[in-house]
Amino acid sequence: MSKPSLSDPRSIRDRQDDWNEHFDRTRRREIIELITDEVIAEHAENPTGYRNFHSPELQRVLNYMRVQPVLGKYFIYAAVPWSDYRIATIHERGEAPVLLNGHHYKSEKEAMHGVFLLRIEDIKSSSEGDIQ
Amino acid sequence: MSTVSIRGYSSSPSVAAGESLSFHVSCDEPGDFRADLVRLIHGDTNPVGPGFKEVEIESSINGTYPASAHRTQSGGYVQVADDAGDLAPETSFGIQLYLWATTPARARQGILSRWTDDDRRGWALSLEEGHLVFTVGDGDNTVSVTSDRALFAEAWYAVSAAFDPATGQVSLHQTPVINSVNSVFGPVFPIDSTFSGQSARSVVSPVVAEAPVIVAGLAESGPVDGRTWVTSPYNGKIDSPRVLAYGPTAADHRSLVEGRRSRGEELAHWSFSEGTGPGGIPTDRVIDMSGHGHHGYCVNQPDRAMTGWNWIGREENFVHAPDQYGAIWFHEDSLDDCRWPSAFSLSVPQDLRSGVYAVRVRQGDAEDYIPFFVTPPAGTATAKILVLIPTCSYVAYANGQIMQNADAGQAVAGHVPVLDQRDIELHERYTEYGLSTYDYHVDGRGVGYSTWRRPILNMRPTHRQEFGSIWQFPADLDLIDWLEVHDYEYDIATDHDLCREGSDLLKRYNVVISPSHAEYTTWEMEDAWEEYLSSGGRGMYLGSNALYWITSLHPEKPWVIEVRKGETGAKAWQARPGELYHSTTGERGGLWRNRARPPQKIWGTGFTSFGFDHSGYFVPLPDSTDPDTSWIFDGFSDDERIGDFGLVGGGAAGYELDRYDLSLGTPPNTRLLASSYGHSENYTVVPEDMLFPHSGLNGGESSLVRADITYFSTADGGAMFSSSSISWIGSLSWNDYENNVSKMMHNVLDRFQSDEAAPEV
């Protein structure tokens, strides 16, 4: 391992990244176990939990999804408010968001579930290379 | 995602009938634009509700105007005129200062300069690829010296630089000056970041650049139409910059490191803390202590009253130790005024009714609404009801981009945010429109100043906040709509009017209504409400999380507010150690609760929880049937759920919630009429109520997660009704206004606007 430089700040690496990578890999395994057909159906039915709070399993999955780094994160874009919602990813200030092709929804709630399904795909695909 | 736009702002938030204000409009496209005056009634476009409502008003300003694209100067700096060229001597000269850079490796940054960047004339100390560089140029040749040690971020350095015209050489010294508290790491880190060096001989001869001295940037060129534009903005602190009539030697640099003044004449010595008094340092003015009168001024409100290189941490109030607060913290993305030229002015006719107005501007398919508020003629009232528009809070949230910038944004929202074209425009053009007190500057400091004088894209009548609903200005139009539909006569005034007039303004009315979210208040506003309520006034607080953050208006620029967030509270950022006191007033920032003025003392309830996934509803409590207060429930059936419906989260109890709490000053005669249920796990207890954090401090598990409807009477027939929820007024129009939230509002407002005393409890 390299020694932290005393003279060149650009060579300093945040070792916390090592832990974060380890922790995230562990959490992804836990989250994948929680993603069942029942959890997906529960989210499709009521993505905000209105008048029927989310189950502990769904809440834990959502908590994981929501705290991911903001750059590259999905959000809903109101292309035509109240009739056409799309999914996009956010990037650095000053850069245009990127609209995803092929994702059109008639309501905010449908789009929320669209994002949920994309995130499940992402979690599963990012775990494929993990050592079990 | 179109990016062509027309945008504008007014010179002030409000104007009295009979007075005037100016409008400033920039168009991306050439040609003409159309302007029309409208009165705004309702903003929420939700198809379940009444939809957007405006009334076109005949006005002398209605018409077509030539379109221009106006440039915005972003970034904070200090400018010092030097028309005589005193600070560009032909003899030896030098500069000294202390600096604490926050983004040293970012793009080129000017630190102290008398330089025109287009022809490379003059002198400049700058940061390039993380290294300090001192440069002198005469338009044909330049000579420079570059430190071989890149700067560590957020660490203080002493810096000296010199030019010797006899040899054409420049020299540079940099030395870390780190103590236990002034930098991100302390003395135990064995830093190796000292440099001393000089250039080779050169043929450069000093010339007078056609530019002022700029601290924290470089003049782009000579003045254009009398104005200097600044490029290469610097991020970080600068303390005690000086221009010397000699070139500082290594020995002179050692004196600087030790905090001693070195030999010889100073041509200029700017003390950024000079002028500090009991009221802070409420000015843009920067004082030259050398005796040569080279005073300057701040542009775009950099952060004043900042800990300096010699802060030792024993004193946290800059008013008590100004000599340790000699720093200004500059940011490349700060903004206090777009400074666009006026497109037209509106002279408000004496007989124009008080209300919520906007100038609607259109060019091709592009459209903008520029909202402003018309009050009655100065010193008068034209109704018995006053709606107090929380403009300090609008400015605090102006152009906020939490969901685009904060990792935790979606966790706070409790769902995926919904952005629209305005949010995208803000994200892409943030340097033109500035930031909110919910954002961070690019260098990581929370935004402590926010301005009205810029297009505020999230303060537009149809705007939906990123977390998926209307918020603040468009939400408050729900109340305006309800008053209009039911033919209540009302006047409008703003926080800015209240700060100027105090309780005299409120005392002209039988009842004053605060709508959904008056979070940011000044000492003067708190005094005004207390004086009003304790002398027979009646208040209706129809929101939540009000009277929360200590706020100041800049005395020289009342369109600018200041906040310092910390040390607790639900907050986007926290003031750094030693920086909790407001520069513009000298007062301690943070929560009013921590200065013995919790909101419960004035309005009966105070902030307790928040969540944005959906809203709950109220259930009546025993006081609802008490003969003293049952009139509030006239027309209700027993145990009827209140507000189990609405356009904001589907309920009248939601988004942010306040609670009754005797220990925090709720008047002991207060009645607790109803409290709310239906809040999810995403609603959490606010940090100031968490001592030991533990699981279960959330909706459904903690009794603190609720909104309380309360009532208390005051002296001389006064009274206060609080519904304590941001989503309350979002339920008013439900079922074509036939609902129990609307019914309760009638019961209270009809009593409060009458000349008879409010029922005593």
Side-chain angles (χ1 to χ4, degrees), chain B residues 373-385:
Chain B
F373 305 94
V374 174
T375 70
T380 70
T382 57
K384 295 187 175 182
I385 300 169

Side-chain angles (χ1 to χ4, degrees), chain A residues 100-117:
Chain A
L100 273 57
N101 291 324
H103 291 272
H104 290 264
Y105 305 89
K106 290 180 180 172
S107 72
E108 293 179 359
K109 288 183 178 177
E110 283 182 28
M112 285 178 191
H113 190 60
V115 170
F116 184 71
L117 295 177

Side-chain angles (χ1 to χ4, degrees), chain B residues 13-66:
Chain B
S14 67
V15 60
E19 299 175 6
S20 65
L21 80 172
S22 58
F23 290 85
H24 308 254
V25 179
S26 181
C27 305
D28 284 351
E29 299 291 316
D32 296 328
F33 72 90
R34 170 86 201 175
D36 290 284
L37 181 65
V38 298
R39 192 159 59 81
L40 298 173
I41 309 295
H42 190 260
D44 193 350
T45 58
N46 190 331
V48 176
F52 178 62
K53 297 182 189 176
E54 65 181 330
V55 178
E56 294 185 346
I57 307 291
E58 283 190 21
S59 170
S60 60
I61 63 141
N62 293 353
T64 301
Y65 298 87

Side-chain angles (χ1 to χ4, degrees), chain B residues 324-342:
Chain B
Q324 293 179 38
Y325 281 83
I328 289 180
W329 191 341
F330 301 92
H331 311 280
E332 68 177 66
D333 49 7
S334 61
L335 179 68
D336 69 352
D337 189 336
C338 277
R339 297 181 174 83
W340 296 348
S342 170

Side-chain angles (χ1 to χ4, degrees), chain A residues 5-56:
Chain A
S5 172
L6 308 180
S7 63
D8 186 358
R10 292 165 300 187
S11 69
I12 294 171
R13 188 175 68 80
D14 186 352
R15 263 69 177 172
Q16 197 169 227
D17 292 344
D18 298 346
W19 161 251
N20 289 337
E21 192 281 327
H22 186 280
F23 180 73
D24 190 58
R25 187 163 11 105
T26 308
R27 281 219 72 196
R28 282 200 304 269
R29 282 203 298 270
E30 175 211 351
I31 295 300
I32 287 169
E33 292 294 317
L34 293 173
I35 298 169
T36 61
D37 291 345
E38 289 75 18
V39 161
I40 293 171
E42 181 189 352
H43 188 271
E45 177 72 21
N46 188 358
T48 64
Y50 180 68
R51 296 295 180 268
N52 187 11
F53 297 155
H54 286 150
S55 66

Side-chain angles (χ1 to χ4, degrees), chain A residues 6-7 9-10 48-51 53 59 66 69-70 73-74 76-78 82 91-96 119, chain B residues 45-47 129 131 151 192 333 407 410 414 417-419 421 427-428 440 464 614-615 644 650 679 681-682:
Chain A
L6 308 180
S7 63
R10 292 165 300 187
T48 64
Y50 180 68
R51 296 295 180 268
F53 297 155
Q59 185 70 46
R66 290 170 180 162
V70 71
K73 212 165 188 172
Y74 297 119
I76 298 165
Y77 176 63
W82 311 110
H91 300 278
E92 292 278 1
R93 271 186 210 170
E95 292 181 19
R119 285 175 168 167
Chain B
T45 58
N46 190 331
E129 298 180 347
H131 297 260
L151 293 186
D192 170 9
D333 49 7
D407 290 341
Q410 297 194 11
V418 182
L419 309 188
Q421 182 51 42
H427 187 71
E428 292 182 5
Y440 285 80
R464 296 181 72 76
H614 50 76
S615 303
D644 193 6
H679 308 299
E681 197 173 305
N682 294 313

